[in-house]
Amino acid sequence: MRSLTLTTALTAAVLTFVSPFGTVIAQAAKPAPAAPAIAPQAQKNPLIATVNGEPIKLSDIAAWVDTHVQPEQRAQIGQEKLFTAALDNLVSGMALQAMARKQGLDKDPAVSHQMQMAADEVLQRALLVKTVLPEVTEDAIKGQYDKQYANKAGEEEVHARHILVDTEAKAQDIIKQLQAGAKFEDLAKKYGDPKDAATQQGGDLGWFKKGDMLPEFSDVAFKLGKNQYTTTPVHTRYGWHVIQVLDTRVSQPPTYDAVHDEIKQQLLRMDAQQLAAQARASVKIVQYGPDGKPLKPQAPAAPAKK
């Protein structure tokens, strides 16, 4: 079960890092605020409250705020309200924990197992934060950008629209009406498949690259010139299409700023996968099927390369 927890978190892509990695990684990956909303002094960590003798210190308040409140929200809420909310939640939480222990819930096998899993997730998260985040520097992000985008030729795109119908005969009739002078967008709204999102926009599909569409659709669309339409119906698994190209262009590589965060997520994900692969290689793993019989060892998937 513990390895499943790590796999689930990594699949969520270490930066998006939904639970259990979400809060710590996502916040750590963001630029730190100029000053924390609530922080203990360098050598002072005063006692704020006790619950059944268990202390709540200023560092606990700061940790609660850091975990539960996004940095951009803290200035809006204000330090006094943050302090009050954090203390109230910590006191209530510790009181509920005391009640649960009094009722013996911490001895319940299912609860005890969940508590252990939660502790394991914290440990996994700490390793990822310590090991992965320092590797994803601005230099690393810039290097990956140069590798993926810089000095690479743009990709051809077309701006097209289509009319989707369920029979070839209907498509041929639409082509005849186009040849007789009918407006494409009017025919699209009149005859186009109502389930097709483009129909009410006059069949407009916007700009797309060749790989964005089915091959049989793209092969035709990318051979048409500006303002040309198909004189033969095009068949795909969705039905029969009449296609018109409105314009063509060559896309430019995205700017560094536009893809900075995306590349950062990509690098974090790859580094986390590599760390997981290293960790798995350092332990003995035996897996069992639903019948309880050991499964044959499988070679681990190679982590993605940068």
Side-chain angles (χ1 to χ4, degrees), residues 33 36 46 53 91 105 142 158 160 163 168 205 213-214 266 278:
V91 169
L105 289 177
K142 182 62 167 60
V158 300
I163 303 171
E168 184 177 13
L205 297 168
M213 298 294 183
L214 294 173
Q266 175 188 345
Q278 293 172 14

Side-chain angles (χ1 to χ4, degrees), residues 54 63 103 114 212 222 240 255:
E54 292 293 324
Q103 295 179 16
Q114 292 178 34
D212 295 338
F222 278 79
W240 294 88
T255 65

Side-chain angles (χ1 to χ4, degrees), residues 74-128:
R74 296 173 195 173
Q76 299 174 2
I77 297 172
Q79 183 169 318
E80 184 176 346
K81 289 184 178 180
L82 282 173
F83 182 93
T84 301
L87 179 58
D88 183 62
N89 276 273
L90 287 169
V91 169
S92 295
M94 292 176 68
L96 288 168
Q97 293 169 32
M99 182 181 291
R101 289 190 176 92
K102 189 174 182 180
Q103 295 179 16
L105 289 177
D106 56 326
K107 303 299 191 295
D108 181 288
V111 175
S112 180
H113 180 62
Q114 292 178 34
M115 291 171 65
Q116 183 59 56
M117 287 181 64
D120 292 340
E121 290 169 359
V122 170
L123 190 60
Q124 295 164 21
R125 182 174 63 227
L127 178 63
L128 285 166

